[in-house]
């Protein structure tokens, strides 16, 4: 199985956002946003003038396990609206599972779309719920 990922991190002005970068960020990941997209200036104190990064990648199972472990992320059992423009899916919408970190120095979120290796003409809601359930059982 592969995983299509959109991962974003926001940190206060006094915290280096790069310490939350995914493993092998320069080799595997494509950085798509930087501090210009920081949206938390409305928060007071150290969050004013903070830092932002967004990366995208398609990872194999070992790379994904390394990413989740190194970035201390866990799957959340919440419904999402999915990802728009997820790596490997073009401009369209795909379902996604939300992964979050709990570090007090960062807002971390990854939208993850598992890509099963089975060949099917179409996947339906039942198929998605089976894959989603398996991911939540392993990474939740």
């Amino acid at each position: 199985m592969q995983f299509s990922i959109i991962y974003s991190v926001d940190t206060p002005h006094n915290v280096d956002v790069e310490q939350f970068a995914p493993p092998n960020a320069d080799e595997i990941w494509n950085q798509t946003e930087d501090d210009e997209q920081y949206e938390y200036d409305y928060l007071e104190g150290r969050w004013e003038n903070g830092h932002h990064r967004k990366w995208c990648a398609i990872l194999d199972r070992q790379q994904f396990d390394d990413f989740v472990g190194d970035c201390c992320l866990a799957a959340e059992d919440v419904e999402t609206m999915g990802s728009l423009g997820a790596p490997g899916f073009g401009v369209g919408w795909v379902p996604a599972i939300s992964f979050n970190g709990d570090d007090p120095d960062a807002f971390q979120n990854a939208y993850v779309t598992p890509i099963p290796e089975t060949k099917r003409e179409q996947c339906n809601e039942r198929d998605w719920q089976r894959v989603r359930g398996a991911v939540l059982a392993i990474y939740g």
Side-chain angles (χ1 to χ4, degrees), residues 79 124-136:
E79 295 294 327
N124 59 32
E125 179 68 20
R126 182 175 174 265
D127 295 327
W128 166 248
Q129 290 302 330
R130 287 179 53 213
V131 171
R132 182 178 180 276
V135 170
L136 289 171

Side-chain angles (χ1 to χ4, degrees), residues 39-112:
E39 297 179 351
Y40 293 102
D41 275 331
Y42 65 90
L43 297 175
E44 297 178 356
R46 67 190 196 121
W47 288 94
E48 292 177 296
N49 300 314
H51 305 286
H52 173 80
R53 295 291 182 278
K54 184 178 280 186
W55 294 273
C56 298
I58 296 177
L59 305 179
D60 64 27
R61 175 69 185 267
Q62 184 60 55
Q63 292 167 326
F64 182 71
D65 287 349
D66 292 345
F67 162 63
V68 170
D70 288 357
C71 293
C72 300
L73 300 174
E76 290 189 304
D77 188 7
V78 297
E79 295 294 327
T80 71
M81 292 182 70
S83 294
L84 182 60
F89 292 97
V91 180
W93 171 89
V94 294
I97 300 165
S98 178
F99 281 67
N100 282 310
D102 64 357
D103 193 300
D105 285 331
F107 296 131
Q108 296 170 269
N109 179 263
Y111 264 31
V112 176

